[in-house]
Amino acid sequence: MTVSARAERDPLIRITDLSKFFGSVIALQGVTMTVYPGEVMCLLGDNGAGKSTLIKTLSGVHKPSQGEIEIEGRPVTFNSPKDALDAGIATVHQHLAIQPLMSVTRNFFMGREPTRGWGPFRTFDLAFAETTVREEMQKMGIDVRDPSQAVGTMSGGERQCVAIARAVYFGAKVLILDEPTSALGVKQAAVVLRYIAQAKAKGLAVVFITHNVHHAYPVADAFTILKRGRSYGTFRKSELTREQVLEMMAGGQELDALEAEIKEFTRSDGDGGVAPQTSKTVRREQGVKP
Amino acid sequence: MSTTVSDERLRAVSPWRKLLSRPELGAVAGAVLVFIFFAVVAGDSGFLNFRGVVSWLEVSAQLGILAVAAALLMIGGEFDLSMGSMIGAAGMVIAIPVAEYGWPVWAAILLAFAVALLIGYLNGTIVNRTRLPSFIVTLASLFILRGLTIGATRLITGRTQVSGLKDAAEADPLARLFIGDIFGVPVSVYWWVALAVIATWILLKTRPGNWIFGVGGDPEAARNTGVPVNRVRIALFMGTAVAATIFAALQVLDFGSADVTRGVQKEFEAIIAAVIGGCLLTGGYGSAVGAVFGALVFGMVQQGIFFTGVNTDWFQVFLGAMLLIAVVFNNFIRRRATEAK
């Protein structure tokens, strides 16, 4: 996508000069980011870079200390995650808002149950709900064996997909995915990534937070790189290679450590399933600090 | 991971496995076993004749009324240890105005329910506001309520028992709902069944029912999807207090007297029945039907021991053992229900 083509469209989210302080701690300082509909913005950064603070601010958990958030050109203030949800910002957290002991259907419609009937005899329309869940999950290429099965019996990737499908079904315009692939094996991550691509094709704006450049790179249109609470800026995918992204995430000085990490990445990409965990361990063991 | 339309890993689940994942299975199986046991051991000494059946049904029913409400609250992730004290308090709120101030019985009953709603509201609000475990909050209300009941009763009447309600109760239209038999079966059994049906309907067929599971499973997640978590909790605490008041009305109006010590330890019995019925202590899982069968197991054991002629002192040993078995069994069920494939 060229710069001029982007300029013709209105951004879905525009964050201007956003800062968040917790007491004397500067969690975010002057972050500016713009996300367009039908685009995947990858938010990259090492631990403590401020990714979580930024998305928590976007999803209504925190109020910004300074700066502004605009949704479709209108400045917004969120007092609760519910406000953000109502404005069309759906967040799928690392800790999913999914109850493992409840059925897929009951989870999917939690808080927004379709009803049938009237007055005190209004009932939760489970038949409609189950059909809908089956259809929505089918669209993602997941055949829900039994919508009344407990979510706990599903794999990690399927659970992520339930949470994402729910957000999309309930009319999210912006999908914030907080490390959706970090706990998943390669094949499971692929399912989630494919669904991110589908959401993008539907015209949603996706903010995809991850540690894992190899998950981010294939689906991303742009990268915003955070480091120690500040933004390194936003880059189009065409401007960066994988290796450059990785380098910026960690800060350039620790190239030696990174090289080892990259080797670890490429090696474990091949044998499947352990990539994210291994890379984190390596990073920690080698003491890469910004 | 299934990525295709036809899932090669989809296999037929046997009905037995499906049944195993129901929360009430343990309690139903337990109830059947306990029934067979006492039918064999004490069948001749009255456990199976009409009077015998009514006797254990009535014990089960009274506890079951508490257990159904306690189960809903437990599924919602909280406990109410003040239920037993609420029974004593509600009994006095019915008895004192009638015996001391000449109120009509129906007015005293309505007052008791109003007080129950208020106390449930307070319990729920304190839990919501302080975010303390409800175990601690309602442990405090257990003592406060019991103390208030004893103190106020002695202050007003000079005694700890209030009697002489029988005639007034029998003539009262509202009190009739809590007295006597229908077709030889005590009214408490009808209350029990009706409350269980209503609770099951709410839990499985309505939006608030879905919210109860959500609030118990993960309150923050539920709140973020728009569930009115605080209102759900308050309603559930009101439910347990109202159930305790129904229990109190059944006893006070039937006996014609109230005692400040009524309902001691009932909160534990209700929780035990709910746990035998498959409710998890951590919330988010369980059923009202399970609590019904939990109470049935409880009533059959309590009365069954009496019919066997064994000293009823041993009842508590059975009770503790049953609780332990139920919890172990429930944990096993939960693992089955949640193990990732």
Side-chain angles (χ1 to χ4, degrees), chain B residues 163-174:
Chain B
S163 52
L165 303 166
K166 198 141 187 104
D167 294 340
E170 271 169 8
D172 190 272
L174 187 57

Side-chain angles (χ1 to χ4, degrees), chain A residues 104-174:
Chain A
V104 182
T105 308
R106 285 179 173 273
N107 264 298
F108 197 94
F109 286 97
M110 176 58 67
R112 292 172 288 206
E113 299 82 357
T115 56
R116 199 169 47 180
W118 177 85
F121 302 105
R122 221 153 48 115
T123 55
F124 179 6
D125 193 347
L126 270 168
F128 169 79
E130 294 205 338
T131 322
T132 310
V133 166
R134 212 190 288 268
E135 278 169 9
E136 291 300 309
M137 295 299 285
Q138 196 90 66
K139 284 183 199 162
M140 301 180 64
I142 293 179
D143 187 30
V144 179
R145 283 148 270 190
D146 173 9
S148 64
Q149 82 183 94
V151 168
T153 62
M154 300 179 104
S155 68
E158 286 173 315
R159 287 189 215 188
Q160 290 284 354
C161 287
V162 172
I164 298 171
R166 174 172 67 178
V168 172
Y169 177 77
F170 285 106
K173 294 176 205 150
V174 182

Side-chain angles (χ1 to χ4, degrees), chain B residues 76-257:
Chain B
E78 308 292 338
F79 294 100
D80 186 358
L81 297 183
S82 69
M83 285 181 96
S85 299
M86 187 63 225
I87 293 168
M92 280 304 162
V93 173
I94 295 171
I96 291 175
V98 175
E100 298 289 318
Y101 303 110
W103 283 37
V105 179
W106 60 263
I109 294 172
L110 291 181
L111 178 68
F113 280 108
V115 169
L117 289 173
L118 178 70
I119 289 179
Y121 178 82
L122 288 177
N123 276 335
T125 305
I126 294 170
V127 170
N128 283 336
R129 290 276 169 83
T130 61
R131 307 205 172 188
L132 288 169
S134 54
F135 188 89
I136 296 300
V137 171
T138 58
L139 188 62
S141 10
L142 180 157
F143 286 101
I144 294 171
L145 260 183
R146 185 68 73 189
L148 272 176
T149 308
I150 297 172
T153 305
R154 219 194 288 273
L155 202 67
I156 295 168
T157 68
R159 287 162 293 148
T160 56
Q161 258 191 332
V162 176
S163 52
L165 303 166
K166 198 141 187 104
D167 294 340
E170 271 169 8
D172 190 272
L174 187 57
R176 297 290 316 158
L177 291 176
F178 300 95
I179 306 174
D181 308 332
I182 302 171
F183 306 119
V185 179
V187 281
S188 55
V189 176
Y190 296 94
W191 276 100
W192 178 36
V193 173
L195 290 177
V197 169
I198 293 170
T200 303
W201 181 76
I202 290 176
L203 214 46
L204 299 181
K205 296 281 179 203
T206 71
R207 292 189 73 191
N210 208 39
W211 298 345
I212 293 171
F213 284 110
V215 170
D218 186 343
E220 277 319 301
R223 201 189 305 272
N224 288 350
T225 51
V227 174
V229 173
N230 289 356
R231 289 217 316 264
V232 170
R233 279 206 196 107
I234 288 173
L236 290 172
F237 276 108
M238 285 176 158
T240 52
V242 164
T245 306
I246 294 173
F247 182 100
L250 285 165
Q251 289 212 330
V252 168
L253 298 170
D254 209 28
F255 298 153
S257 69

